[in-house]
Amino acid sequence: MPQCDNCQRRHRDCHYPGSKRAGTFLRKGTDHASSAESHQKSTSPLQSKQELIKFLDLYFRYLYPLPGYSFLHESSIRRMYSEERLEESLVLAICAIVNLRCPSSGRVSYDSASWIARAESRILNQLERPSIFHLQALFLIIHYYAEVGGFGQAFMLASLASRQVTALRLNHESPHLGFVAQETRRRAAWTMALLDGYFSVGLPGYSTIDYGEIYQQFPCREEMFGSPIPECMIRRPSGIRTDQSPASHGTLELILRLSKVRRDIIRLTRQLALVEQPVVDLDAIARGFQTSLLQIGAQITASFGTPSLSHANLQFQTQLPSRWLGRVLEIRVAWHQAQCDLFRIFLASHPNAASLTILNSLSSSPFVLQAREKCHQHSTCIIDSILQNEALIPPTSFSVDIARCVYHAARLCLHLARDSGQKGSGDSLSLPLGTALERASLAIAFLQRNFGRAAHAKGMILDLEVLIEACSSHQSKEARGSNPDRLTGSDGFERHHQLAVHSLLHQAEFVDDSYLYDG
């Protein structure tokens, strides 16, 4: 058979439709075992093709709408599987995550662990040969470990996935490729950025990829990537639909842009923890963040309705099928969370606030003057929006980020109420503790309903339970006067390096065993 330059450069055989060797890679210089493995067709861990097709249906129906799972091109995956040339590790990973997260899969839970182990082993055995299919399988394996509590494995595999992104130059555009291939590359790079946020936000030392290292366009709208259900089906109160031109912003783009702004705000928060003297340009920096958020808010309004309507029912505002409602809700919640993150810096009593020396130098700043009001407004919006629209969205369509936003909103509501009680009735923004406790309890109930089986959410649920108990306890004056919202580190250095409860890196609890060298 003739050989193309691309395959010759990669030391692989060309593959043609109908060839018995279709979809297998044969690399020169490999041993007999590797050669034999490369001749095997894509195999399914399931008993029949129909069963795997059912698993693919479940994946694209329930998991694909989640931003961290939207990197697979549905028609291409189905076509490659029907041609028996879909990478086995990816098949195994898809089956494992669907079996874990979709109860209707009909398989037993221990199947997932076996499939994940096989997929991971296959990838590690071909470590020197990075592949976008291996990378996609790694994404699903990382998701799996985050769900079952294998946080250490997830973090280490995230580093491997990042290396694959770099090795394949997926963070750069490839204009010589077709649209589907280019968009698949873009989504792989941006998925890596989303996964990076699972471990640590704002700490460069723990980062696996940086937004500044991604030179790709943002992902396109779903209908452009082959979805039969378009994203832009929004109806305004006047009955006029929003702009559906190719230039309008898709859900993934807005989620990623908000993620970047939030990461930068948290990074600023961590940097300020190390500063004990006035920062002259802090007010200007905050105005820059606020401008970015207002611009993104305008784009959200143009594409999906205003994000500031906390009680607005998404189904009333939109004509979106439920497949994309979870993303629209995440966008709105993330926008409010970004506002909370920003104004929390100027909330003097909060552990994440800048030092009093800095805040006293900005006493006339609108950010200082409005901090309590804005934190209350946006944290309330997050919880109310979630509860108002929960019934419209399948439980599997709530992302990890929604859980984190609900958790932080509940903590902030409790902090504001407790702080208001300490200031006394003369406080201009008096927040009843009972109301805050009720909202926090509703937040816990939401997390338990939708993330009760997810290991990554257990720390958030437990932390809120402890905080609610501390705030509602009347048994001792010490309990009522305590501040359980305070970070454990008392100095700036410790607060700078503090990992959030929901950080998978924090939950991994790595142990430094170098002390053994001391005998």
Side-chain angles (χ1 to χ4, degrees), residues 91-139:
V91 175
L92 289 162
I94 290 173
C95 291
I97 198 68
V98 168
N99 189 45
L100 179 71
R101 296 209 52 181
C102 300
S104 56
S105 66
R107 304 285 295 196
V108 293
S109 59
Y110 61 76
D111 286 339
S112 292
S114 172
W115 295 337
I116 284 293
R118 288 170 56 189
E120 188 176 347
S121 175
R122 182 175 173 84
I123 293 170
L124 294 177
N125 286 339
Q126 303 177 58
L127 198 58
E128 78 285 1
R129 286 180 277 171
S131 159
I132 193 168
F133 301 103
H134 287 173
L135 176 63
Q136 292 170 331
L138 278 172
F139 290 156

Short mmCIF file of all heavy atoms in Angstrom, two decimals, residues 91-139:
data_model
loop_
_atom_site.label_atom_id
_atom_site.label_comp_id
_atom_site.label_asym_id
_atom_site.label_seq_id
_atom_site.Cartn_x
_atom_site.Cartn_y
_atom_site.Cartn_z
N VAL A 91 -12.44 3.57 24.86
CA VAL A 91 -13.65 2.77 25.01
C VAL A 91 -13.82 2.34 26.47
O VAL A 91 -14.90 2.46 27.05
CB VAL A 91 -13.60 1.53 24.09
CG1 VAL A 91 -14.80 0.62 24.34
CG2 VAL A 91 -13.55 1.95 22.63
N LEU A 92 -12.75 1.86 27.07
CA LEU A 92 -12.79 1.42 28.46
C LEU A 92 -13.15 2.56 29.40
O LEU A 92 -13.96 2.40 30.33
CB LEU A 92 -11.44 0.82 28.86
CG LEU A 92 -11.08 -0.54 28.25
CD1 LEU A 92 -9.59 -0.79 28.38
CD2 LEU A 92 -11.88 -1.65 28.92
N ALA A 93 -12.55 3.72 29.17
CA ALA A 93 -12.80 4.87 30.05
C ALA A 93 -14.23 5.36 29.92
O ALA A 93 -14.86 5.74 30.92
CB ALA A 93 -11.81 5.99 29.74
N ILE A 94 -14.75 5.39 28.70
CA ILE A 94 -16.15 5.80 28.51
C ILE A 94 -17.08 4.86 29.25
O ILE A 94 -17.99 5.29 29.98
CB ILE A 94 -16.50 5.83 27.00
CG1 ILE A 94 -15.77 6.98 26.29
CG2 ILE A 94 -18.01 5.97 26.80
CD1 ILE A 94 -15.93 6.97 24.78
N CYS A 95 -16.86 3.58 29.09
CA CYS A 95 -17.71 2.59 29.77
C CYS A 95 -17.63 2.74 31.28
O CYS A 95 -18.65 2.66 31.99
CB CYS A 95 -17.30 1.18 29.36
SG CYS A 95 -17.67 0.78 27.64
N ALA A 96 -16.44 2.97 31.80
CA ALA A 96 -16.25 3.07 33.25
C ALA A 96 -16.97 4.28 33.83
O ALA A 96 -17.66 4.18 34.86
CB ALA A 96 -14.76 3.12 33.58
N ILE A 97 -16.82 5.43 33.21
CA ILE A 97 -17.41 6.65 33.78
C ILE A 97 -18.92 6.64 33.62
O ILE A 97 -19.65 7.11 34.50
CB ILE A 97 -16.77 7.91 33.15
CG1 ILE A 97 -17.04 9.14 34.03
CG2 ILE A 97 -17.25 8.14 31.73
CD1 ILE A 97 -16.36 9.14 35.36
N VAL A 98 -19.43 6.10 32.52
CA VAL A 98 -20.88 5.99 32.35
C VAL A 98 -21.45 5.03 33.38
O VAL A 98 -22.48 5.29 34.01
CB VAL A 98 -21.22 5.52 30.92
CG1 VAL A 98 -22.69 5.12 30.82
CG2 VAL A 98 -20.91 6.63 29.92
N ASN A 99 -20.78 3.90 33.57
CA ASN A 99 -21.24 2.92 34.55
C ASN A 99 -21.26 3.49 35.96
O ASN A 99 -22.15 3.18 36.76
CB ASN A 99 -20.34 1.69 34.51
CG ASN A 99 -20.88 0.54 35.33
OD1 ASN A 99 -22.05 0.22 35.26
ND2 ASN A 99 -20.01 -0.10 36.10
N LEU A 100 -20.30 4.37 36.25
CA LEU A 100 -20.22 4.97 37.58
C LEU A 100 -21.29 6.03 37.79
O LEU A 100 -21.92 6.09 38.85
CB LEU A 100 -18.83 5.58 37.79
CG LEU A 100 -18.59 6.28 39.13
CD1 LEU A 100 -18.52 5.25 40.26
CD2 LEU A 100 -17.32 7.12 39.09
N ARG A 101 -21.49 6.88 36.79
CA ARG A 101 -22.31 8.07 36.98
C ARG A 101 -23.75 7.93 36.52
O ARG A 101 -24.60 8.74 36.89
CB ARG A 101 -21.67 9.26 36.27
CG ARG A 101 -20.31 9.65 36.83
CD ARG A 101 -20.05 11.11 36.64
NE ARG A 101 -21.14 11.93 37.15
CZ ARG A 101 -21.17 13.26 37.09
NH1 ARG A 101 -20.16 13.89 36.54
NH2 ARG A 101 -22.18 13.94 37.55
N CYS A 102 -24.03 6.96 35.67
CA CYS A 102 -25.39 6.79 35.15
C CYS A 102 -25.98 5.49 35.70
O CYS A 102 -25.64 4.41 35.21
CB CYS A 102 -25.38 6.76 33.63
SG CYS A 102 -24.71 8.26 32.87
N PRO A 103 -26.85 5.56 36.70
CA PRO A 103 -27.41 4.35 37.31
C PRO A 103 -28.14 3.45 36.31
O PRO A 103 -28.24 2.25 36.51
CB PRO A 103 -28.39 4.91 38.35
CG PRO A 103 -27.90 6.29 38.63
CD PRO A 103 -27.33 6.79 37.35
N SER A 104 -28.63 4.04 35.21
CA SER A 104 -29.37 3.25 34.23
C SER A 104 -28.49 2.41 33.34
O SER A 104 -28.96 1.77 32.41
CB SER A 104 -30.23 4.18 33.36
OG SER A 104 -29.43 5.16 32.73
N SER A 105 -27.16 2.41 33.61
CA SER A 105 -26.26 1.62 32.77
C SER A 105 -26.52 0.13 32.92
O SER A 105 -26.28 -0.65 32.01
CB SER A 105 -24.80 1.93 33.12
OG SER A 105 -24.50 1.49 34.43
N GLY A 106 -26.97 -0.28 34.11
CA GLY A 106 -27.34 -1.67 34.32
C GLY A 106 -26.19 -2.59 34.67
O GLY A 106 -26.36 -3.81 34.76
N ARG A 107 -24.99 -2.06 34.88
CA ARG A 107 -23.84 -2.89 35.24
C ARG A 107 -23.54 -2.75 36.73
O ARG A 107 -24.02 -1.84 37.40
CB ARG A 107 -22.60 -2.46 34.43
CG ARG A 107 -22.80 -2.49 32.93
CD ARG A 107 -22.79 -3.89 32.37
NE ARG A 107 -21.51 -4.53 32.55
CZ ARG A 107 -21.11 -5.62 31.90
NH1 ARG A 107 -21.92 -6.20 31.04
NH2 ARG A 107 -19.94 -6.16 32.14
N VAL A 108 -22.71 -3.63 37.24
CA VAL A 108 -22.32 -3.56 38.65
C VAL A 108 -21.14 -2.61 38.80
O VAL A 108 -20.35 -2.40 37.87
CB VAL A 108 -21.96 -4.95 39.21
CG1 VAL A 108 -23.20 -5.83 39.24
CG2 VAL A 108 -20.87 -5.61 38.37
N SER A 109 -21.00 -2.03 40.00
CA SER A 109 -20.03 -0.96 40.20
C SER A 109 -18.59 -1.41 40.04
O SER A 109 -17.74 -0.64 39.59
CB SER A 109 -20.23 -0.35 41.59
OG SER A 109 -20.07 -1.34 42.59
N TYR A 110 -18.29 -2.67 40.41
CA TYR A 110 -16.88 -3.07 40.36
C TYR A 110 -16.37 -3.20 38.93
O TYR A 110 -15.17 -3.26 38.69
CB TYR A 110 -16.63 -4.35 41.14
CG TYR A 110 -17.40 -5.57 40.66
CD1 TYR A 110 -17.01 -6.27 39.53
CD2 TYR A 110 -18.49 -6.04 41.38
CE1 TYR A 110 -17.71 -7.38 39.10
CE2 TYR A 110 -19.20 -7.16 40.97
CZ TYR A 110 -18.80 -7.84 39.83
OH TYR A 110 -19.49 -8.93 39.41
N ASP A 111 -17.26 -3.25 37.96
CA ASP A 111 -16.82 -3.27 36.57
C ASP A 111 -16.01 -2.02 36.23
O ASP A 111 -15.02 -2.08 35.51
CB ASP A 111 -18.02 -3.38 35.62
CG ASP A 111 -18.65 -4.76 35.61
OD1 ASP A 111 -17.95 -5.71 35.99
OD2 ASP A 111 -19.82 -4.88 35.22
N SER A 112 -16.45 -0.88 36.75
CA SER A 112 -15.79 0.39 36.44
C SER A 112 -14.33 0.38 36.87
O SER A 112 -13.45 0.82 36.13
CB SER A 112 -16.53 1.55 37.11
OG SER A 112 -17.79 1.76 36.52
N ALA A 113 -14.06 -0.10 38.07
CA ALA A 113 -12.69 -0.13 38.58
C ALA A 113 -11.80 -0.99 37.69
O ALA A 113 -10.65 -0.62 37.40
CB ALA A 113 -12.67 -0.65 40.01
N SER A 114 -12.31 -2.11 37.25
CA SER A 114 -11.54 -2.99 36.38
C SER A 114 -11.27 -2.34 35.04
O SER A 114 -10.14 -2.39 34.52
CB SER A 114 -12.31 -4.31 36.18
OG SER A 114 -11.69 -5.11 35.20
N TRP A 115 -12.27 -1.69 34.48
CA TRP A 115 -12.09 -1.04 33.18
C TRP A 115 -11.11 0.13 33.26
O TRP A 115 -10.29 0.33 32.37
CB TRP A 115 -13.45 -0.56 32.66
CG TRP A 115 -14.41 -1.69 32.37
CD1 TRP A 115 -14.09 -2.99 32.10
CD2 TRP A 115 -15.83 -1.60 32.34
NE1 TRP A 115 -15.24 -3.72 31.90
CE2 TRP A 115 -16.32 -2.90 32.04
CE3 TRP A 115 -16.75 -0.58 32.52
CZ2 TRP A 115 -17.68 -3.19 31.92
CZ3 TRP A 115 -18.11 -0.85 32.41
CH2 TRP A 115 -18.57 -2.14 32.11
N ILE A 116 -11.20 0.89 34.34
CA ILE A 116 -10.29 2.02 34.52
C ILE A 116 -8.85 1.52 34.64
O ILE A 116 -7.91 2.09 34.06
CB ILE A 116 -10.68 2.85 35.76
CG1 ILE A 116 -11.90 3.71 35.45
CG2 ILE A 116 -9.52 3.73 36.22
CD1 ILE A 116 -11.66 4.81 34.43
N ALA A 117 -8.65 0.44 35.40
CA ALA A 117 -7.31 -0.12 35.56
C ALA A 117 -6.75 -0.56 34.21
O ALA A 117 -5.55 -0.34 33.92
CB ALA A 117 -7.34 -1.28 36.54
N ARG A 118 -7.56 -1.18 33.39
CA ARG A 118 -7.11 -1.62 32.07
C ARG A 118 -6.78 -0.44 31.17
O ARG A 118 -5.75 -0.44 30.46
CB ARG A 118 -8.18 -2.50 31.41
CG ARG A 118 -8.32 -3.89 32.03
CD ARG A 118 -9.54 -4.60 31.49
NE ARG A 118 -9.54 -4.69 30.03
CZ ARG A 118 -10.59 -5.12 29.33
NH1 ARG A 118 -11.71 -5.50 29.95
NH2 ARG A 118 -10.52 -5.19 28.00
N ALA A 119 -7.62 0.58 31.20
CA ALA A 119 -7.37 1.76 30.38
C ALA A 119 -6.09 2.47 30.80
O ALA A 119 -5.27 2.86 29.97
CB ALA A 119 -8.56 2.72 30.47
N GLU A 120 -5.92 2.63 32.11
CA GLU A 120 -4.73 3.31 32.63
C GLU A 120 -3.47 2.52 32.29
O GLU A 120 -2.45 3.10 31.88
CB GLU A 120 -4.87 3.47 34.14
CG GLU A 120 -3.80 4.32 34.78
CD GLU A 120 -4.05 4.53 36.27
OE1 GLU A 120 -5.16 4.22 36.75
OE2 GLU A 120 -3.11 4.98 36.95
N SER A 121 -3.52 1.21 32.42
CA SER A 121 -2.37 0.37 32.10
C SER A 121 -2.01 0.48 30.63
O SER A 121 -0.82 0.56 30.28
CB SER A 121 -2.68 -1.09 32.47
OG SER A 121 -1.63 -1.94 32.08
N ARG A 122 -3.00 0.50 29.79
CA ARG A 122 -2.73 0.59 28.34
C ARG A 122 -2.04 1.91 27.98
O ARG A 122 -1.10 1.94 27.19
CB ARG A 122 -4.03 0.44 27.56
CG ARG A 122 -3.86 0.47 26.05
CD ARG A 122 -5.18 0.21 25.34
NE ARG A 122 -5.06 0.40 23.90
CZ ARG A 122 -4.62 -0.52 23.05
NH1 ARG A 122 -4.26 -1.72 23.52
NH2 ARG A 122 -4.54 -0.28 21.76
N ILE A 123 -2.49 2.98 28.61
CA ILE A 123 -1.89 4.29 28.35
C ILE A 123 -0.45 4.34 28.85
O ILE A 123 0.46 4.81 28.15
CB ILE A 123 -2.73 5.40 29.00
CG1 ILE A 123 -4.09 5.50 28.32
CG2 ILE A 123 -2.01 6.75 28.93
CD1 ILE A 123 -5.07 6.40 29.03
N LEU A 124 -0.22 3.83 30.05
CA LEU A 124 1.13 3.86 30.63
C LEU A 124 2.09 2.97 29.85
O LEU A 124 3.29 3.26 29.77
CB LEU A 124 1.08 3.43 32.09
CG LEU A 124 0.33 4.39 33.03
CD1 LEU A 124 0.29 3.83 34.45
CD2 LEU A 124 0.97 5.77 33.03
N ASN A 125 1.59 1.88 29.27
CA ASN A 125 2.44 1.00 28.47
C ASN A 125 2.86 1.63 27.15
O ASN A 125 3.78 1.16 26.50
CB ASN A 125 1.72 -0.32 28.19
CG ASN A 125 1.67 -1.21 29.41
OD1 ASN A 125 2.46 -1.06 30.34
ND2 ASN A 125 0.71 -2.13 29.45
N GLN A 126 2.16 2.70 26.75
CA GLN A 126 2.50 3.41 25.50
C GLN A 126 2.83 4.87 25.81
O GLN A 126 2.51 5.77 25.03
CB GLN A 126 1.33 3.32 24.51
CG GLN A 126 0.91 1.89 24.19
CD GLN A 126 -0.30 1.85 23.27
OE1 GLN A 126 -0.28 2.40 22.17
NE2 GLN A 126 -1.36 1.22 23.71
N LEU A 127 3.48 5.07 26.94
CA LEU A 127 3.72 6.42 27.43
C LEU A 127 4.52 7.27 26.45
O LEU A 127 4.33 8.48 26.36
CB LEU A 127 4.47 6.33 28.77
CG LEU A 127 4.47 7.57 29.65
CD1 LEU A 127 3.05 8.00 29.99
CD2 LEU A 127 5.26 7.31 30.92
N GLU A 128 5.43 6.62 25.71
CA GLU A 128 6.27 7.38 24.79
C GLU A 128 5.54 7.77 23.51
O GLU A 128 6.09 8.49 22.66
CB GLU A 128 7.53 6.56 24.45
CG GLU A 128 7.32 5.45 23.41
CD GLU A 128 6.60 4.22 23.97
OE1 GLU A 128 6.24 4.24 25.15
OE2 GLU A 128 6.42 3.26 23.21
N ARG A 129 4.29 7.32 23.35
CA ARG A 129 3.53 7.63 22.15
C ARG A 129 2.27 8.40 22.52
O ARG A 129 1.20 7.81 22.64
CB ARG A 129 3.16 6.33 21.42
CG ARG A 129 4.32 5.69 20.69
CD ARG A 129 3.87 4.42 19.99
NE ARG A 129 3.87 3.28 20.91
CZ ARG A 129 3.35 2.10 20.60
NH1 ARG A 129 2.78 1.92 19.43
NH2 ARG A 129 3.39 1.12 21.48
N PRO A 130 2.36 9.69 22.74
CA PRO A 130 1.17 10.48 23.09
C PRO A 130 0.14 10.44 21.97
O PRO A 130 0.49 10.35 20.79
CB PRO A 130 1.72 11.89 23.31
CG PRO A 130 2.99 11.93 22.54
CD PRO A 130 3.56 10.54 22.61
N SER A 131 -1.09 10.47 22.34
CA SER A 131 -2.20 10.39 21.39
C SER A 131 -3.37 11.18 21.93
O SER A 131 -3.62 11.19 23.15
CB SER A 131 -2.60 8.92 21.18
OG SER A 131 -3.91 8.82 20.67
N ILE A 132 -4.10 11.84 21.07
CA ILE A 132 -5.26 12.59 21.54
C ILE A 132 -6.31 11.65 22.10
O ILE A 132 -7.06 12.01 23.01
CB ILE A 132 -5.85 13.47 20.41
CG1 ILE A 132 -6.85 14.48 21.00
CG2 ILE A 132 -6.51 12.61 19.33
CD1 ILE A 132 -7.27 15.56 20.04
N PHE A 133 -6.34 10.39 21.63
CA PHE A 133 -7.29 9.43 22.17
C PHE A 133 -6.87 8.99 23.58
O PHE A 133 -7.72 8.81 24.45
CB PHE A 133 -7.38 8.21 21.24
CG PHE A 133 -7.82 8.58 19.84
CD1 PHE A 133 -6.91 8.64 18.79
CD2 PHE A 133 -9.15 8.88 19.58
CE1 PHE A 133 -7.32 8.99 17.53
CE2 PHE A 133 -9.57 9.23 18.30
CZ PHE A 133 -8.65 9.29 17.27
N HIS A 134 -5.57 8.84 23.80
CA HIS A 134 -5.09 8.56 25.14
C HIS A 134 -5.40 9.74 26.06
O HIS A 134 -5.78 9.55 27.23
CB HIS A 134 -3.58 8.31 25.13
CG HIS A 134 -3.20 7.00 24.53
ND1 HIS A 134 -1.88 6.64 24.30
CD2 HIS A 134 -3.95 5.95 24.11
CE1 HIS A 134 -1.84 5.43 23.77
NE2 HIS A 134 -3.08 4.99 23.64
N LEU A 135 -5.22 10.95 25.56
CA LEU A 135 -5.50 12.13 26.36
C LEU A 135 -6.97 12.19 26.76
O LEU A 135 -7.30 12.46 27.93
CB LEU A 135 -5.11 13.39 25.58
CG LEU A 135 -5.44 14.73 26.25
CD1 LEU A 135 -4.67 14.89 27.55
CD2 LEU A 135 -5.14 15.88 25.30
N GLN A 136 -7.85 11.93 25.81
CA GLN A 136 -9.28 11.94 26.11
C GLN A 136 -9.63 10.86 27.14
O GLN A 136 -10.45 11.09 28.03
CB GLN A 136 -10.08 11.75 24.82
CG GLN A 136 -9.97 12.96 23.88
CD GLN A 136 -10.56 12.67 22.52
OE1 GLN A 136 -10.58 11.54 22.04
NE2 GLN A 136 -11.08 13.71 21.87
N ALA A 137 -8.99 9.71 27.01
CA ALA A 137 -9.20 8.65 28.00
C ALA A 137 -8.69 9.10 29.38
O ALA A 137 -9.33 8.85 30.41
CB ALA A 137 -8.49 7.37 27.57
N LEU A 138 -7.55 9.79 29.41
CA LEU A 138 -7.02 10.30 30.67
C LEU A 138 -7.98 11.28 31.33
O LEU A 138 -8.15 11.26 32.56
CB LEU A 138 -5.67 10.98 30.44
CG LEU A 138 -4.44 10.08 30.35
CD1 LEU A 138 -3.22 10.88 29.92
CD2 LEU A 138 -4.17 9.40 31.70
N PHE A 139 -8.62 12.14 30.55
CA PHE A 139 -9.59 13.06 31.12
C PHE A 139 -10.68 12.29 31.87
O PHE A 139 -11.07 12.65 32.99
CB PHE A 139 -10.24 13.91 30.02
CG PHE A 139 -9.33 14.93 29.40
CD1 PHE A 139 -9.58 15.41 28.11
CD2 PHE A 139 -8.23 15.42 30.07
CE1 PHE A 139 -8.75 16.36 27.53
CE2 PHE A 139 -7.39 16.37 29.50
CZ PHE A 139 -7.66 16.83 28.22
#
